[in-house]
């Protein structure tokens, strides 16, 4: 099956480069280019691509608003959006997470990383570059007002068992299923079940949004010394037959999180 892609970036050389790399793949086709968010929304609604490769900062309508319109809460037929950004735009990426972007890459991504990321997102998985993950959320949430100052312990967290809360805390710290299993001295399949239960009980779409909730509710507080930008750890999760996530090293240098059921993933 051919993966159909819309490339949205206000820089012509960037668009042309991404276009050339992706079109050269036997299973990919760039069906349109857009120079701003408004054009991206129009093209995506008209052409229904499998993935929109979206820059964050563009004129007329930025990538954040375009992502909200294409994939945000309440969208009837959401389009998968893979955002491309630079690390110094932490707050933009955080807001895009909340707008339901499917993944993020830095603009210095290698050719193979870009191609793999598009395939990951087209397959319905969530993807984050490792240098964005914990440092991005930790640094930004550190300066962001608490989302629920009136609820020290948010009511929805009370639906979790003690073990599920432990698992949620470890997810928010960027731990893979295998690492969580080691930390808690339990089987990896048991971890998968716990993560699935956490997402189901909290009505969360995926692992990324579990991280956001953990930080916003104060369950996890950013450490005083965030991971360095060049942190080598990389993880990805690939689909299995059950509603779970499994993490293994990724050649694309990214954390891959793949849903294995319609609404309950882990």
């Amino acid at each position: 099956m051919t993966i159909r892609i819309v490339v949205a970036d206000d820089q012509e050389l960037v668009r042309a480069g991404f276009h050339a790399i992706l079109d050269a793949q036997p299973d990919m086709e760039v069906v349109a280019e857009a120079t701003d968010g408004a054009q991206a929304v129009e093209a995506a609604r008209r052409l229904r691509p499998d993935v929109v490769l979206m820059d964050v900062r563009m004129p007329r309508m930025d990538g954040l608003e375009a992502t909200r319109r294409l994939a945000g809460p309440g969208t009837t037929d959401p389009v998968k959006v893979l955002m491309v950004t630079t690390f110094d735009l932490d707050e933009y990426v955080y807001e895009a997470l909340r707008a339901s972007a499917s993944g993020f890459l830095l603009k210095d991504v290698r050719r193979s990383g870009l191609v793999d990321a598009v395939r990951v997102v087209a397959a319905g998985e969530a993807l984050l570059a490792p240098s964005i993950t914990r440092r991005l959320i930790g640094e930004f949430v550190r300066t962001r007002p608490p989302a629920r100052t009136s609820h020290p312990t948010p009511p929805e967290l009370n639906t979790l068992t003690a073990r599920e809360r432990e698992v949620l805390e470890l997810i928010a710290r960027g731990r893979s299923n295998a690492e969580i299993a080691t930390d808690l001295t339990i089987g990896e399949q048991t971890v998968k079940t716990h993560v699935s239960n956490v997402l189901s009980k909290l009505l969360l779409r995926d692992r990324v949004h579990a991280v956001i909730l953990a930080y916003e509710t104060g369950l996890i507080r950013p450490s005083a010394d965030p991971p360095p930008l060049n942190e080598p750890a990389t993880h990805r999760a690939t689909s299995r037959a059950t509603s779970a996530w499994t993490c293994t090293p990724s050649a694309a240098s990214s954390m891959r999180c793949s849903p294995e059921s319609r609404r309950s993933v882990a």
Side-chain angles (χ1 to χ4, degrees), residues 20-234:
I21 291 170
L22 298 173
D23 243 8
Q25 307 308 310
D27 59 339
M28 296 183 186
E29 177 188 6
V30 176
V31 295
E33 293 185 9
T35 60
D36 58 47
Q39 287 185 7
V41 170
E42 187 280 328
R45 288 175 174 170
R46 174 169 48 88
L47 299 171
R48 302 303 305 173
D50 299 295
V51 177
V52 176
L53 192 63
M54 184 88 72
D55 186 23
V56 173
R57 295 206 297 190
M58 293 183 289
R60 200 151 68 106
M61 180 190 295
D62 65 22
L64 297 175
E65 180 59 28
T67 299
R68 290 187 193 99
R69 298 191 184 192
L70 292 175
T75 305
T76 55
D77 192 9
V79 175
K80 299 180 184 71
V81 177
L82 174 59
M83 303 206 76
V84 187
T85 185
T86 52
F87 188 79
D88 61 340
L89 299 177
D90 292 359
E91 69 275 18
Y92 293 112
V93 180
Y94 181 83
E95 289 301 327
L97 277 169
R98 302 186 67 178
S100 300
S102 294
F104 301 90
L105 289 176
L106 302 182
K107 281 195 174 181
D108 62 357
V109 64
R110 294 184 178 183
R111 180 190 305 255
S112 59
L114 173 65
V115 171
D116 187 62
V118 170
R119 291 191 179 114
V120 167
V121 170
E125 304 174 10
L127 180 143
L128 293 175
S131 55
I132 289 177
T133 315
R134 282 171 287 179
R135 177 161 184 148
L136 169 77
I137 297 174
E139 284 291 317
F140 186 68
V141 176
R142 188 197 308 279
T143 62
R144 190 179 182 86
R148 303 174 185 183
T149 54
S150 60
H151 297 286
T153 303
E156 59 268 37
L157 292 184
N158 292 330
T159 65
L160 303 180
T161 66
R163 179 64 87 188
E164 288 165 354
R165 283 180 67 116
E166 285 182 307
V167 170
L168 176 57
E169 290 176 16
L170 291 171
I171 291 172
R173 296 188 188 281
R175 308 291 278 173
S176 70
N177 283 355
E179 291 168 335
I180 293 173
T182 299
D183 291 343
L184 300 181
T185 320
I186 58 178
E188 192 169 346
Q189 186 60 47
T190 302
V191 174
K192 295 175 184 178
T193 300
H194 286 318
V195 178
S196 233
N197 290 341
V198 168
L199 299 181
S200 178
K201 287 182 178 182
L202 299 180
L203 303 179
L204 298 172
R205 191 185 66 170
D206 55 35
R207 206 173 180 113
V208 171
H209 288 81
V211 175
I212 294 174
L213 181 138
Y215 276 99
E216 284 195 327
T217 59
L219 182 64
I220 289 292
R221 302 217 177 261
S223 64
D225 187 17
L229 292 182
N230 61 350
E231 76 173 0
T234 60

